[in-house]
Amino acid sequence: MTQAFQKLAAIRGMNDVLPEAGHRWEAFEALIRDWLHSYGYRNMRPPVLEHTRLFTRGIGEVTDIVEKEMYTFTDALNGDSLTMRPEFTAGMVRATIEHNLLYERPQRVYAMGPVFRHERPQRGRYRQFHQIDVEALGFAGPDVDAEMIVMLARLWRRLGLADIRLELNSLGQPDERAAHRAALIAHLERHRDILDEDGQRRLYSNPLRVLDTKNPAMQEMADSAPRLSDFLGEASRAHLQGVCERLDDAGIAYRMNPRLVRGLDYYNLTVFEWVTDRLGAQGTVCGGGRYDGLIELLGGKPAPAVGFAIGMERLLDLWGQSQAPEPVPECQVYIVHQGEAAQRRAARVAETLRDAGLSVIVHAGSAGFKSQFKRADASGARAAVILGGDELASGSAGVKWLRGDAQQGEAQQQVPLDQLAEVLQSKV
Ligand code: HAM
């Protein structure tokens, strides 16, 4: 006897997308691809699993992601340490180096798919979520930095989104950050008594992140800390100015946010986030920036790069607030039938209708006409095609219009099978 199986639920923070929402995802993805193609971006699909070292090296040892959010496990078959990607950039760069993609020319590439972070789930924050990841590899900017931001503004317009704002900062270059860091550590040391546990722990390992604190008792200390912008050299300032001028050209408003540091270590110069108040606590829809050192850090020939990622769940949530989802039919034509001969005929007729570009469901199994028509109606089809003994004998099919087309013509008509596709196409 089979043992009873205890019903399982999905893993916390990992959501099912059910058919109704599935359609919205598909429509959204189609729109996104269109938008990416209009800027010349080409698709890449790196694997979900990578060697753990790629992320610890690429994202940085002392980041929330690497310290506590990665799904890492030992491959029991060979002892390798593997990690489910917590973001795309490191994998995209690994693939670029491995396949020598920058040998001939720079590349505009994108990827879309699930990423994994072990965070505390809440609205807009999941353990499996989806990103649209966009990378311009081998471009020094600032033109491409600005183009990416302009491109995002176009997407928000296309989705009809208002209330989404741009925050911008420059992280300068490593030597500028080192000088700033020394000054910052001195500042933090002077306020050591008010640092919380995270602050103490990060004082020397990642002092910049200490300023990212949400702790009210540390705000004043954070506000009065030395600013990186005062340590930027001429080239870094010029780069930032180049980005800002181009944003002004495009009429895109932004707020300079010196506290914007991002949670991944690979950035330099331009960093940005698009934020909204309409999503509760998880309001960052998109984040990105320049990472000129990462390709070399991961073993490639030095090359500059810039990119961003959009959180798809967050953007879909926002899109849903501006656009009521329309119910979507499962098919255009639903075929009902009576008797085995008619059922087999229906399967063949359906294939010819699909040849003509129609989407068709053939009622599966056998049932009375009444319950088949109920299903036809529930499917959202514009027309039901009826195949019974009479129709088979006469080489025709009945066509019943299901969605208010009755007024325009007859509610039901007989159509010779060889004209069926044409008649249906004219109305569905
Ligand atoms: P990120 O800021 O870590 O950047 O993530 C990008 C976006 O993913 C966030 O702005 C947010 O919308 C979404 N996101 C992050 N965590 C979650 C979560 N737990 N649940 C739902 N959505 C989430 C990166 O990942 C960089 N790789 C972006 C990049 C590409 N930089 C350069 N190129």
Side-chain angles (χ1 to χ4, degrees), residues 22-327:
H23 173 78
R24 275 180 68 67
W25 276 80
E26 283 187 336
F28 182 64
E29 284 163 2
L31 189 152
I32 295 290
R33 285 196 186 95
D34 225 48
W35 163 69
L36 288 162
H37 294 156
S38 78
Y39 282 84
Y41 281 82
R42 297 187 301 156
N43 188 221
M44 262 174 79
R45 297 169 188 241
V48 170
L49 281 182
E50 298 271 4
H51 291 288
T52 305
R53 296 194 315 280
L54 173 67
F55 299 117
T56 47
R57 173 106 173 154
I59 297 172
E61 299 268 2
V62 195
T63 55
D64 280 350
I65 296 179
V66 169
E67 278 185 342
K68 50 190 184 202
E69 294 171 2
M70 296 205 304
Y71 283 92
T72 293
F73 60 93
T74 305
D75 183 338
L77 298 179
N78 60 13
D80 287 352
S81 180
L82 305 180
T83 295
M84 321 234 333
R85 63 180 177 218
E87 59 122 33
F88 275 97
T89 311
M92 296 285 268
V93 167
R94 195 255 325 125
T96 299
I97 298 168
E98 186 172 337
H99 304 287
N100 216 0
L101 293 188
L102 294 183
Y103 180 67
E104 281 189 349
R105 60 193 172 103
Q107 300 279 345
R108 287 180 165 85
V109 290
Y110 78 91
M112 243 193 274
V115 291
F116 303 83
R117 293 184 194 175
H118 196 117
E119 296 190 81
R120 199 170 46 76
Q122 62 177 83
R123 176 180 176 193
R125 187 163 71 193
Y126 310 105
R127 289 179 175 173
Q128 173 178 315
F129 59 100
H130 296 74
Q131 283 188 344
I132 301 153
D133 182 79
V134 181
E135 313 288 2
L137 302 153
F139 296 93
D143 51 355
V144 183
D145 312 30
E147 184 187 84
M148 283 190 148
I149 293 172
V150 171
M151 170 178 175
L152 284 157
R154 172 181 293 276
L155 178 62
W156 313 147
R157 279 201 307 278
R158 183 138 164 206
L159 294 171
L161 306 181
D163 298 335
I164 177 161
R165 57 181 191 275
L166 174 62
E167 310 235 314
L168 189 68
N169 191 19
S170 173
L171 297 184
Q173 298 294 10
D175 58 325
E176 294 156 359
R177 280 207 300 281
H180 170 244
R181 184 188 148 101
L184 184 57
I185 289 177
H187 176 80
L188 293 173
E189 280 172 337
R190 281 195 296 279
H191 295 86
R192 203 170 201 147
D193 48 322
I194 59 155
L195 298 187
D196 58 16
E197 209 185 304
D198 267 351
Q200 296 280 356
R201 193 168 49 85
R202 289 184 164 140
L203 201 164
Y204 298 105
S205 60
N206 198 349
L208 210 56
R209 286 278 282 152
V210 180
L211 302 185
D212 217 15
T213 179
K214 303 236 155 35
N215 184 345
M218 289 164 60
Q219 283 313 320
E220 210 182 296
M221 177 282 300
D223 289 339
S224 63
R227 293 194 164 194
L228 177 60
S229 55
D230 296 329
F231 291 78
L232 296 187
E234 197 152 331
S236 295
R237 285 174 203 268
H239 192 101
L240 177 61
Q241 196 187 343
V243 175
C244 293
E245 283 167 357
R246 286 165 176 83
L247 295 183
D248 293 339
D249 288 346
I252 292 175
Y254 55 88
R255 186 174 83 93
M256 285 306 297
N257 178 359
R259 302 277 286 279
L260 180 65
V261 293
R262 310 268 306 126
L264 307 95
D265 278 356
Y266 46 63
Y267 293 110
N268 68 315
L269 295 174
T270 318
V271 288
F272 62 89
E273 284 184 354
W274 288 90
V275 187
T276 178
D277 295 326
R278 289 178 174 250
L279 293 176
Q282 303 303 319
T284 307
V285 174
C286 170
R290 182 156 281 287
Y291 51 95
D292 295 330
L294 183 61
I295 298 177
E296 186 178 15
L297 186 74
L298 295 177
K301 231 176 99 204
V306 59
F308 62 82
I310 297 172
M312 291 180 78
E313 282 80 1
R314 293 183 192 177
L315 191 54
L316 268 165
D317 187 348
L318 206 54
W319 192 36
Q321 293 176 24
S322 71
Q323 251 210 359
E326 282 182 26

